[in-house]
Amino acid sequence: MKTVGQPAFRAGQIFDWIYKKRVRDWSDMSNLPKALREWLEETFDLHPTAVVLTKSADDVTDKLLLRLRDASLIETVIIRAPQHGVGVNRSRKTICLSTQVGCAYGCKFCASGLAGWKRDLSAGEIVAQLLEVCAREDQRTPRAKAELASFDNIVVMGMGEPLANYDNLIRALTIANDSQGLGFGARRVTISTSGLIPQILKLADEKLGFRLAISLHGTTNEVREKIMPINRRYPLEQLIPAIRTFSRRHGRMLTLEFILIEDVNDTLDQAERLADIARDLHAHVNLIPYNPVDGLTWHRPSIRRQDRFMAILESRSVSATIRREKGSDIAAACGQLRLKEEAKGSWLDC
Ligand code: SAH
Ligand code: SF4
């Protein structure tokens, strides 16, 4: 505002309109001079995203397919996990954000990487996903209840590798965190990464203490490499010390994500090793049964095999959960909706 000859307090007013009052148009910002509103309109894009499709599963998961100005598609997911014994209608609400269009890392189980990387999202496009969720929730519930603060968590686990778009990610999360922005506490934000070591170490030094989840998916280089090509660049013997450094600096439990793929990484030996790694890092393990992706040949293990894997972790006193909710299917296989819709081209009609 100062650089265009406006008093600095105008910036606070604009933040208030966007993040607190959540107006959808520059012209509604009634305490700004008309000329400034017109200049803002010409210069900035208040809505870089448009919802083109929503998909719900069992009232647990809402998936929003968003179109960007260049017609790229991304996905943002709202996950409502019912909480037992916490009161009527109280469900844990989590927002899952995308950070890139596609992904360059090509993990063998993941729909987001199938068509490669197209581009990074801007900080504005990342924040816009949160504002789209707010707009939707504002319609569903009385305004006071629909504040972003009523969401329990943000997870950066949608399309793309967040740490490959580091600066825009941190800028967006800083706005989400700021009291003039959405006021969302850093401890309620989890960034998931396939394991980019330099950025993990950089994140450990950030002022805001975001939580970290590591997509491990294999406990030996041989197995992990089959699933995640990134392991050749950052093998386990380098990745694990980097995670340890992050964990020590933060003093908080991090999460190891482990997708279960039949006969690939669901063996007893992998479970034993995973228990060792989790205990060493004081990490929580999140087991995710593989969701079949069109065009990929792997299978989800039977419930019996999943339970056997889980039992080994439990017998070693590792804190672990297994993702079983029905609705999470559409969240876990993130990137699929976009691929399907791009193939059909149906979003063009919306
Ligand atoms: N690039 C980051 C964040 C996005 S992927 C990362 O790799 O961590 C986040 C998670 O989505 C993966 O770790 C995996 O747990 C989950 N996921 C992706 N495809 C999946 C599939 N087909 N089945 C189950 N989980 C999947
Ligand atoms: Fe990219 Fe993460 Fe998918 Fe791997 S799992 S391809 S890093 S989005």
Side-chain angles (χ1 to χ4, degrees):
M1 286 294 101
K2 273 187 181 165
T3 57
V4 292
Q6 291 287 332
F9 70 81
R10 294 274 183 233
Q13 289 177 319
I14 294 171
F15 259 72
D16 188 57
W17 282 113
I18 296 177
Y19 297 106
K20 302 286 193 269
K21 300 197 177 80
R22 298 211 273 273
V23 298
R24 308 279 292 176
D25 218 308
W26 296 108
S27 60
D28 292 336
M29 302 186 180
S30 53
N31 58 0
L32 304 184
K34 189 157 179 279
L36 176 60
R37 279 185 264 159
E38 284 167 0
W39 177 78
L40 288 166
E41 172 94 54
E42 280 161 24
T43 317
F44 298 104
D45 192 357
L46 193 50
H47 293 294
T49 52
V51 180
V52 291
L53 187 74
T54 60
K55 225 173 178 162
S56 300
D58 297 333
D59 212 23
V60 172
T61 313
D62 288 345
K63 199 164 204 172
L64 313 186
L65 188 68
L66 304 177
R67 186 177 51 220
L68 308 176
R69 291 288 181 197
D70 65 353
S72 296
L73 297 175
I74 56 165
E75 295 173 21
T76 304
V77 184
I78 307 167
I79 305 154
R80 298 169 220 280
Q83 287 223 293
H84 304 294
V86 189
V88 190
N89 287 339
R90 170 75 181 114
S91 60
R92 247 180 117 70
K93 282 183 278 180
T94 300
I95 308 170
C96 179
L97 298 179
S98 293
T99 50
Q100 297 184 309
V101 182
C103 182
Y105 291 88
C107 300
K108 299 285 193 286
F109 54 82
C110 178
S112 296
L114 272 184
W117 173 87
K118 191 168 165 197
R119 70 172 175 86
D120 287 344
L121 298 190
S122 67
E125 287 166 332
I126 299 171
V127 172
Q129 295 173 64
L130 293 170
L131 290 174
E132 290 291 0
V133 170
C134 287
R136 204 178 151 76
E137 294 296 299
D138 289 345
Q139 276 177 359
R140 274 173 67 108
T141 35
R143 180 56 201 275
K145 288 188 196 145
E147 293 296 331
L148 193 74
S150 77
F151 278 84
D152 298 278
N153 298 300
I154 292 176
V155 292
V156 190
M157 288 186 188
M159 190 187 299
E161 168 48 54
L163 296 190
N165 186 13
Y166 191 94
D167 292 345
N168 289 334
L169 172 75
I170 298 299
R171 220 174 139 203
L173 293 179
T174 302
I175 292 171
N177 172 261
D178 198 279
S179 59
Q180 289 196 88
L182 291 165
F184 202 92
R187 284 162 186 231
R188 295 191 287 141
V189 178
T190 302
I191 300 168
S192 174
T193 178
S194 57
L196 308 193
I197 293 177
Q199 288 92 327
I200 290 173
L201 297 174
K202 203 167 161 197
L203 192 65
D205 286 335
E206 287 291 338
K207 245 190 358 248
L208 292 173
F210 303 114
R211 286 178 186 269
L212 188 64
I214 303 285
S215 290
L216 197 66
H217 308 324
T219 60
T220 52
N221 284 329
E222 196 200 346
V223 169
R224 194 164 189 262
E225 253 168 52
K226 264 197 231 164
I227 305 173
M228 306 179 75
I230 185 72
N231 194 71
R232 264 176 247 130
R233 187 140 146 232
Y234 299 122
L236 287 168
E237 64 275 15
Q238 292 170 26
L239 177 60
I240 288 173
I243 302 172
R244 195 179 294 121
T245 302
F246 183 95
S247 191
R248 284 202 182 130
R249 278 197 208 153
H250 274 249
R252 252 175 271 130
M253 197 179 233
L254 55 78
T255 302
L256 300 175
E257 291 166 279
F258 203 90
I259 207 168
L260 290 173
I261 310 170
E262 190 176 61
D263 287 331
V264 175
N265 68 351
D266 68 340
T267 58
L268 300 182
D269 169 61
Q270 287 288 308
E272 298 275 356
R273 288 172 189 271
L274 180 57
D276 288 343
I277 294 172
R279 282 170 64 107
D280 169 48
L281 295 171
H282 304 290
H284 174 82
V285 173
N286 191 15
L287 295 178
I288 310 157
Y290 169 67
N291 261 298
V293 172
D294 293 346
L296 301 179
T297 52
W298 281 333
H299 299 287
R300 171 190 283 215
S302 65
I303 297 276
R304 219 176 54 110
R305 279 179 80 105
Q306 294 174 25
D307 286 344
R308 192 187 59 169
F309 198 97
M310 179 73 171
I312 291 174
L313 300 181
E314 280 172 342
S315 71
R316 305 277 220 91
S317 308
V318 171
S319 154
T321 42
I322 187 156
R323 203 193 269 174
R324 283 264 165 78
E325 307 93 333
K326 264 193 186 164
S328 67
D329 285 5
I330 61 170
C334 209
Q336 287 225 69
L337 186 59
R338 162 187 172 247
L339 283 187
K340 282 185 187 155
E341 292 307 310
E342 274 190 341
K344 281 196 291 191
S346 63
W347 51 272
L348 286 170
D349 306 330
C350 297

